[in-house]
Amino acid sequence: MRVMILVKATEDSEKGFAPTPETLKMMEAMDRFNSDLIKAGIMKDVSCCDGLTPSSRGKRIAFDGPSRTVIDGPFFHPNELVAGFWLWEVTDMDEAIAWVKRCPNPMPGPSEIEIRPLYEAADLC
């Protein structure tokens, strides 16, 4: 089962990355966690995870029939945005939950991580 693990954005993540002793310590902990994921065969390589820049650097494209409208960030409601992601291969949702529970807190304060299964070919038949 393939899953995408989504680190939800926060007010802090929307301010951008600042290399403070606290954030560098968080990154070191996350690097160790990523190494554990690779060793366990959950994450196949480091290109399957990354952090995203704040939404102020992003764009959205709105579709309405044949028209396309570009919308500049920042986007509101940080808790509805994504600040980072992983792609994992797990046996089931319980295994994904167990690994997420082992994850270091990805933010300085309260945060959330969402687990979303990817469609597999068998799901589309």
Side-chain angles (χ1 to χ4, degrees), residues 81-100:
L81 301 174
V82 175
F85 69 94
W86 287 275
L87 287 173
W88 294 352
E89 191 166 322
V90 294
T91 53
D92 55 28
M93 185 60 81
D94 289 339
E95 183 178 28
I97 291 168
W99 275 98
V100 170

Side-chain angles (χ1 to χ4, degrees), residues 4 9 16 47 49 51 54 58 61 63 65-66 74 85 87 93 102 114:
M4 178 171 266
S47 65
C49 67
I61 313 303
F63 291 72
F85 69 94
L87 287 173
M93 185 60 81
R102 291 178 53 183
E114 181 178 337

Side-chain angles (χ1 to χ4, degrees), residues 4-104:
M4 178 171 266
I5 310 301
L6 303 166
V7 176
K8 303 303 285 237
T10 65
E11 296 287 338
D12 286 328
S13 69
E14 281 293 287
K15 293 175 186 171
F17 177 76
T20 65
E22 180 183 61
T23 58
L24 294 175
K25 187 175 178 178
M26 288 171 48
M27 288 183 66
E28 290 171 4
M30 198 60 74
D31 285 344
R32 287 190 299 274
F33 180 67
N34 288 338
S35 293
D36 290 345
L37 289 167
I38 290 171
K39 287 177 193 168
I42 301 298
M43 187 170 66
K44 301 305 180 190
D45 62 64
V46 292
S47 65
C48 294
C49 67
D50 227 327
L52 302 174
T53 61
S55 69
S56 60
R57 297 181 61 187
K59 307 279 186 195
R60 286 184 178 167
I61 313 303
F63 291 72
D64 187 3
S67 74
R68 307 293 184 261
T69 303
V70 177
I71 304 164
D72 297 326
F75 307 118
F76 300 104
H77 309 294
N79 62 329
E80 296 176 6
L81 301 174
V82 175
F85 69 94
W86 287 275
L87 287 173
W88 294 352
E89 191 166 322
V90 294
T91 53
D92 55 28
M93 185 60 81
D94 289 339
E95 183 178 28
I97 291 168
W99 275 98
V100 170
K101 285 182 172 182
R102 291 178 53 183
C103 182

